[in-house]
Amino acid sequence: MDYLLQHPGTVAWRTLQHIELVAAALAIACAIAFPLGVVVARKRRIGGIILAALNAIYTIPSLALFALLIPLLGIGTWTALVALVLYAQMLLVRNVAVGLRGVSPALIDAARGLGMSAAQIFWRVEVPQALPVIVGGVRLASIALISLATLASWIDAGGLGALVLYGLQHDDPSRAVAGALAAAVLAIVADVGLRRLQHRWE
Amino acid sequence: MEKPGGASLRLHGVTVRYRGRAAVDGVDLDVAAGEFIVLLGPSGSGKSTLLRTINRLVLPDAGTIEIDGRDAAAEPPEALRRGIGYAIQAVGLFPHLSVARNIAVVPELLGWGQARIAARVEALLALVRLDPARYRDRYPRELSGGEQQRVGVARALAAEPRLLLMDEPFGAVDAIVRADLQEETLRIHRMLGTTILFVTHDVDEALRLADRIVVLKDGCIEQVGSPLNVLANPATDYVAALLDSKDAVRRLQLLNARDALRSATARPEMAKGDDWPRVTPQATLREVLSVLLGGASRTMVANDDEVLGSLSFDDVRAALARTEG
């Protein structure tokens, strides 16, 4: 705890950097995953291929994925961002697709029968119905990314991982503990917050 | 509430094929404005598919459908459906919308103003006997099955449709609530004069609700007629078996004491015994039979102030016999 008490400013700054990286990755990942999830829910064959590809990415060990991206993108924040976005796809796309597929056919029938257009059915019935499951995916992805982002310091992308890495390399355990602790708190806060959001829609 | 009246409907040669098999096979049907038509048949008879051709949820492979003399295919399907009420089982309510928002769906699609929608929601909740102040802001899951169903009916009636399609709307509620909802549906039908097409596989429901019953088998019409007519004079063995038309008690339920008074032995001057039990002219013959089985030789048929006549076992039997013909 020494490090945390002596350098609260550094921990706060690294935490903020961590949040920025995760938030940016999550926002980009959601923007990509939503349309992909819709495709997976609607088109069985293309959907199967997309899910298989995302699953393959998901099984690559995270450090190995960072390593694979270095020849393409070099080291730094951008590489970390791309890796995190790729990782999040699996969790996000799967939940969007599961959520949309789970909408009761009777509701869609009722919506059609009342005279809604396909777009109105999608935005007014299917998306609101799928929202708890979609938010559940965002929750899982955010926890996974907060944890993964600690590895981003290996490729010089900063964040709380930098404290952990430096602490381990320079025999400064209290610095490593401070970084790990902050990351854990961050993950718990994200989990609780998004869980609440999820339940509000259920 | 304003009485929007009912639309007339004409189906001609309506055919729907699924994988080469005809689910609906050349159906012709004329429905007068304000009629209550029940499509009756077991599952697979095509009754639901036929209903769904009317609001083009199912596109017919052949045939025409005219509503108030206009070809239903001439209009964009969404616009057509907004003008036709549609009620299905309670699961059709949107769980994420309040009762008021559920009822407001079609008026919102039609672009009504907020004030007009709010007033309409109030009026409709009152129509289906749900206190607007208590129910407006609740969510479907907070309601009983019967209450959900009432909201479903209110939603179907929201944009003052002249035609209402109901697809087994009361299939998911228990018998007591169902009887209650049937009574409400009849009351609303009398009040608004809306033309109703109602799909069910429940024979008693069909007999209770219909002006005319359309019996379907394998996508074809077996018989069309009034409940009593279909029950007493089944056109085919299939209809007889489906309606269990040998069951005389079922038929007695469709006749009332007033009908039976036309029998020769039931003249008013016969109504003398003060100790005879009384029934109203609206009482069904099943109720009369039940009273007679209690031990009286005759039962007196009387309004509050006027004795109309009396009925014996023989009169009930004669009334039953007259329905066969």
Side-chain angles (χ1 to χ4, degrees):
Chain A
M1 294 301 267
D2 298 351
Y3 187 86
L4 185 60
L5 296 173
Q6 281 157 20
H7 304 90
T10 310
V11 175
W13 168 63
R14 286 299 191 190
T15 304
L16 210 62
Q17 206 178 25
H18 203 85
I19 293 173
E20 274 172 10
L21 180 63
V22 169
L26 204 57
I28 296 167
C30 285
I32 298 170
F34 187 72
L36 275 183
V38 175
V39 172
V40 171
R42 301 247 159 121
K43 310 274 181 202
R44 200 155 282 276
R45 285 207 31 205
I46 303 173
I49 295 167
I50 293 173
L51 276 185
L54 295 178
N55 212 5
I57 296 172
Y58 194 65
T59 55
I60 301 172
S62 28
L63 265 179
L65 182 62
F66 285 123
L68 283 173
L69 289 171
I70 291 170
L72 301 171
L73 300 164
I75 59 169
T77 310
W78 285 106
T79 311
L81 201 61
V82 170
L84 295 183
V85 168
L86 282 173
Y87 258 107
Q89 286 309 301
M90 176 62 192
L91 298 169
L92 293 172
V93 170
R94 195 187 53 196
N95 275 52
V96 170
V98 168
L100 289 174
R101 278 190 190 150
V103 178
S104 152
L107 284 187
I108 294 172
D109 182 60
R112 282 183 73 209
L114 292 171
M116 287 193 195
S117 66
Q120 285 165 335
I121 293 172
F122 181 73
W123 290 110
R124 296 186 188 199
V125 180
E126 298 185 80
V127 171
Q129 282 299 303
L131 216 47
V133 181
I134 294 174
V135 173
V138 173
R139 183 173 64 82
L140 292 177
S142 69
I143 296 164
L145 292 196
I146 287 167
S147 147
L148 278 176
T150 55
L151 296 176
S153 57
W154 286 90
I155 54 167
D156 199 26
L160 288 165
L163 297 178
V164 178
L165 191 63
Y166 190 91
L168 292 177
Q169 283 169 347
H170 295 85
D171 196 20
D172 185 0
S174 87
R175 186 190 295 232
V177 167
L181 210 62
V185 169
L186 213 54
I188 291 168
V189 168
D191 182 39
V192 171
L194 285 165
R195 211 181 271 276
R196 279 202 181 157
L197 201 62
Q198 195 178 345
H199 287 318
R200 235 181 58 192
W201 275 312
E202 264 165 8
Chain B
M1 190 168 291
E2 199 181 329
K3 187 167 177 165
S8 67
L9 187 68
R10 167 166 289 179
L11 310 186
H12 183 71
V14 173
T15 300
V16 180
R17 290 190 196 91
Y18 284 132
R19 298 196 187 92
R21 197 186 134 267
V24 174
D25 198 355
V27 166
D28 296 320
L29 182 67
D30 274 342
V31 177
E35 252 192 309
F36 198 135
I37 298 287
V38 172
L39 306 177
L40 176 67
S43 54
S45 60
K47 57 191 189 305
S48 193
T49 306
L50 178 62
L51 187 83
R52 292 160 65 86
T53 61
I54 295 166
N55 61 359
R56 298 186 74 73
L57 287 173
V58 171
L59 298 181
D61 294 294
T64 55
I65 295 162
E66 286 177 16
I67 300 170
D68 275 335
R70 281 193 305 273
D71 185 357
E75 225 178 328
E78 282 87 16
L80 176 80
R81 290 175 197 145
R82 287 170 199 173
I84 298 174
Y86 185 57
I88 59 175
Q89 284 189 8
V91 284
L93 291 181
F94 301 126
H96 60 290
L97 298 181
S98 67
V99 165
R101 294 284 317 279
N102 261 289
I103 296 174
V105 165
V106 181
E108 277 175 9
L109 291 174
L110 292 170
W112 289 16
Q114 284 307 313
R116 186 177 171 203
I117 291 176
R120 185 68 187 153
V121 167
E122 299 277 307
L124 282 162
L125 281 172
L127 179 73
V128 297
R129 299 191 205 239
L130 294 174
D131 177 11
R134 251 187 83 199
Y135 285 94
R136 204 172 21 213
D137 298 321
R138 294 170 87 175
Y139 283 83
R141 65 170 178 277
E142 300 170 321
L143 308 182
S144 72
E147 288 166 342
Q148 290 183 12
Q149 213 40 262
R150 285 166 191 262
V151 175
V153 172
R155 183 175 69 175
L157 292 169
E160 302 179 342
R162 289 156 46 77
L163 174 61
L164 175 58
L165 308 179
M166 306 180 87
D167 193 351
E168 308 225 20
F170 309 143
V173 294
D174 64 59
I176 293 171
V177 175
R178 192 178 317 147
D180 195 33
L181 289 166
Q182 287 163 354
E183 210 45 59
E184 292 287 296
T185 308
L186 284 174
R187 183 179 60 82
I188 290 168
H189 177 244
R190 277 194 301 271
M191 239 174 106
L192 302 180
T194 316
T195 305
I196 298 180
L197 267 78
F198 189 109
V199 163
T200 187
H201 62 263
D202 178 341
V203 173
D204 287 311
E205 183 164 72
L207 294 174
R208 181 178 294 189
L209 293 176
D211 291 328
R212 283 194 299 157
I213 293 177
V214 176
V215 183
L216 288 156
K217 179 197 178 192
D218 299 334
C220 297
I221 292 182
E222 284 281 297
Q223 188 173 4
V224 181
S226 71
L228 194 56
N229 190 324
V230 172
L231 196 55
N233 305 300
T236 63
D237 292 345
Y238 173 81
V239 177
L242 181 71
L243 275 76
D244 198 4
S245 60
K246 290 204 185 72
D247 181 354
V249 175
R250 184 170 257 175
R251 224 180 309 159
L252 288 178
Q253 215 157 1
L254 296 172
L255 296 164
N256 59 35
R258 193 192 296 279
D259 301 328
L261 284 176
R262 287 192 290 144
S263 156
T265 61
R267 284 186 296 270
E269 55 267 34
M270 301 292 289
K272 287 193 205 101
D274 281 345
D275 52 343
W276 290 339
R278 285 170 156 244
V279 296
T280 65
Q282 291 80 33
T284 67
L285 288 191
R286 185 181 166 159
E287 292 169 59
V288 171
L289 182 68
S290 170
V291 168
L292 290 171
L293 286 171
S297 60
R298 301 187 78 84
T299 169
M300 194 189 297
V301 182
N303 282 322
D304 288 342
D305 48 358
E306 186 192 6
V307 174
L308 299 170
S310 69
L311 294 171
S312 66
F313 274 117
D314 287 340
D315 299 320
V316 172
R317 196 178 296 136
L320 198 59
R322 274 203 306 279
T323 64
E324 295 160 12

